[in-house]
Structure formats: C-alpha cells, structure tokens
C-alpha cells in the first residue's frame, strides 16, 4: 500500500540549525569537546538525522538513555561513541554489550554483570556516575572509591570517566551547583588518591555548558541546547541558538460562527461577534495539549497570530481567525515555529502550560511524520 502521508500535519526539522547550534556550543566551551544528547528520539526531532548532523558539525560523541535508543542509531550506521546515561537491569548486560554503547555504572552488581560478558582482550569502557546531590541515580560520594575499585579490578572493563549530573544549573544563582561541583571534584580526587586513573570527568548538561564554566571539565553533554531551546528562561539568549523545529499543519475546514455559538467540546468558547473559525487536523494525540485552548495559546495563519478557539480535541483544533478573515482550506498553519515575521516557540507553550520546552518537543507524537531540510 502507498504509505505517503495524507494528513498535512508534520514536524519539520532544520538540520542546518542543529549543526549551527553544535558549532555555537563548541565555540562557547572550546577546547572542551561537545557530546550531543539524542535520547527520546532526539527530543522529538528524530535521533538518527540529528545524530548525523551533530557529528558532522563536530560533536565528539552521543548520549542516550536506553539500550533500545542505541540500537536504533547503530542500525542506521551511526558508529560514533555512544554513552548510555544510566544502568539498565543487570539482566541486560549482554544487550548493553551488543548495542555498542559505553555504559554508565554505579552499582557493583552491574559492574560484575558487564565484566562477565565483556571481552578481556578488548576491555569495555564504562563511565562511573556519582550522585552529588540530585538523588536520582549514581553512587554516593562516600562509595565512589569502592565502586571505582571494583571497576579497576574487573579484567574485562576499563574506567573511561567519572561523571555527575547537575540538578539546578538552569537556575544560575542557586548555590547548589557550586556545592555539587565541589563534591564531584572531591570524589574524583578520592578515586585518583586511591591510585586509580580517571581518564576523563564530566558534569555539564546544557545549562552547565552555557552558564557554568567550572562544570565543563573534559567534555560537556549538550541536550536541549542542540535543538535550539534554552534550558530555562533565565538562560534565554545567553548563547545564540536557532530553534530547529516547526510544528505545521493546514486548514482543513472553514466556517462562520455566529455570536454566542459555542465551539468544540464543552462549548466553553463562543465569539462575541461573527467570526471565521478554521478547523486544523492536529490535536492532543499529536502532543498539542488539551489545555492550550483555554490558556490563550495562538497559532500562525497567514503570518498572523490567531487564538485556539475552545478545547483542543484528540485529532483537531479550532482556530479563531477573526471576523471576515480570508482563510481557505489548505492554508498553512504553524503551531510552533516561524511564519513571516511572527514566531511561536516551544518555550511559549511551556510557559503557558507551566512546564519546560523539553517536555513540549518530546511530547510531539509518533504519528506526526518528521521531515528534514538542510544537513
């Protein structure tokens, strides 16, 4: 059967923007290498095309959250170094090895499981994560020497790095980041004092990359910034990033709605005067949050901002284009991105919804085809 998309709704990704952001981050932290985080299908942008664009622009490696994500990259022929950011179940040790990742470890059980399946003739590089204050994953600072010693004595493994993750780097004035970095430096020093060589150490996420020079160490792990989205409002504009994603659809139906006539589920929105309402075939099943219509969210039609009218439904939204608007079926509708001189950003959605830009792009559904330009 012909699998050409019929619905006009899609995600457009500018790979030249991805490349430009990687180069900007490289310049910002030079000579420290930049690794691009492409977990969650490249934060909703498509992991394989993003990985290729990032590597071509000089990224030194990649990072993922899941073995399955690494498999996708390897199956597509991506042969760069890939850091697995957390431990899977110990029963997955063979799958970790087969996926070609460099795994993160922080428990003796996972170290033993990997050592049992790895090749002593070509020891597997592993990255020891220490929990310096986020309290999510990682070994406690007081345990780091013990776990590093287990790694060091494992004949089929070699220590590639010691690393940590920063909890509040996106809030530059918070003192906890300095405290975390101090604990991290102490942990690395303790490992080295035990006679174990630490080839590399790293701590910086996107916010650390941008705002905390002391966090950059031997490499930085840039995630959301690669996609042109600031890690937080406090860091917006700190470096020149280009949003890489547009969320686009087209008008599917146009009608005039009389004053007082309700629109969409619940009939909670009604115009004060006769207006033109366009129906657009995209909805909350695609990641357009149901609440956006009640929060003043706008889309772009003909280069103008037009509010979502009423409740977002599973497959469609309705848009108030204004009295007498000249809108016809097939007109482009931009939900995120630029059209003419106007732009709606993922950060704008995030602010309305009380969340972060990461969640917006990661939440764009799989039934939206991804199309690519540049690269």
């Amino acid at each position: 059967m012909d699998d050409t998309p019929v619905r006009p709704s899609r995600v457009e990704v500018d790979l030249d923007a991805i490349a430009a952001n990687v180069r900007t981050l490289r310049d910002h932290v030079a000579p420290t290498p930049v690794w691009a985080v492409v977990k969650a299908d490249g934060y909703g942008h498509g992991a394989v095309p993003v990985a290729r664009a990032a590597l071509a622009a000089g990224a030194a490696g990649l990072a993922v959250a899941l073995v399955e994500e690494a498999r996708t990259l390897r199956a597509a022929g991506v042969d760069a170094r890939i850091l697995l950011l957390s431990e899977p179940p110990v029963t997955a040790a063979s799958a970790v090895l087969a996926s070609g990742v460099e795994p993160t470890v922080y428990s003796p059980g996972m170290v033993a499981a990997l050592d049992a399946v790895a090749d002593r003739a070509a020891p597997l590089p592993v990255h020891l994560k220490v929990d310096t204050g986020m309290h999510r994953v990682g070994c406690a600072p007081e345990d780091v020497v013990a776990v590093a010693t287990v790694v060091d004595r494992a004949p089929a493994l070699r220590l590639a790095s010691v690393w940590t993750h920063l909890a509040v780097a996106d809030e530059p004035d918070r003192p906890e980041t300095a405290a975390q970095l101090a604990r991290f430096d102490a942990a690395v020093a303790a490992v080295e004092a035990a006679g174990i060589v630490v080839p590399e150490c790293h701590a910086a996420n996107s916010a650390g990359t941008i705002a905390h020079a002391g966090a950059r160490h031997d490499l930085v792990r840039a995630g959301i910034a690669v996609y042109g989205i600031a890690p937080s409002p406090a860091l917006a504009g700190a470096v020149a990033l280009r949003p890489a994603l547009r969320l686009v659809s087209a008008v599917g139906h146009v009608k005039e709605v009389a004053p007082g006539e309700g629109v969409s589920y619940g009939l909670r929105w009604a115009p004060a005067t006769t207006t033109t309402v366009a129906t657009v075939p995209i909805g909350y099943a695609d990641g357009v949050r149901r609440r956006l219509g009640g929060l003043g969210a706008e889309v772009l039609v003909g280069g103008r901002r037009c509010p979502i009218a009423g409740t977002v439904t599973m497959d469609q939204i309705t848009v108030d284009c204004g009295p007498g608007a000249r809108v016809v079926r097939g007109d482009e509708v931009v939900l995120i991105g630029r059209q003419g001189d106007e732009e709606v950003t993922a950060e704008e959605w995030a602010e309305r919804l009380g969340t972060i830009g990461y969640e917006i792009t990661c939440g764009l559904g799989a039934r939206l085809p991804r199309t690519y330009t540049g690269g």
Side-chain angles (χ1 to χ4, degrees), residues 71-101:
R71 286 172 177 164
T72 297
L73 295 170
R74 295 302 191 214
V78 176
D79 61 1
R81 294 175 67 188
I82 301 176
L83 170 64
L84 182 65
L85 291 167
S86 60
E87 290 184 353
V90 294
T91 53
S94 293
V96 169
L97 194 68
S99 68
V101 296

Side-chain angles (χ1 to χ4, degrees), residues 1 19-20 28 60 75 146 160 217 328 357 359 374-375:
M1 294 180 65
H28 187 67
H217 293 294
V328 298
E359 188 175 5

Side-chain angles (χ1 to χ4, degrees), residues 15-48:
L15 296 176
D16 286 343
I18 297 288
N21 294 331
V22 169
R23 288 192 292 267
T24 294
L25 294 167
R26 289 181 64 206
D27 290 344
H28 187 67
V29 302
T32 304
V34 174
W35 285 46
V37 183
V38 295
K39 62 182 181 176
D41 195 26
Y43 292 47
H45 294 66
V48 170

Side-chain angles (χ1 to χ4, degrees), residues 295-319:
L295 296 174
E298 298 169 315
V299 303
L300 304 179
V301 184
R304 297 184 302 113
R305 283 180 169 263
C306 300
I308 296 175
T311 303
V312 172
T313 69
M314 184 180 290
D315 309 302
Q316 296 172 322
I317 61 172
T318 43
V319 178

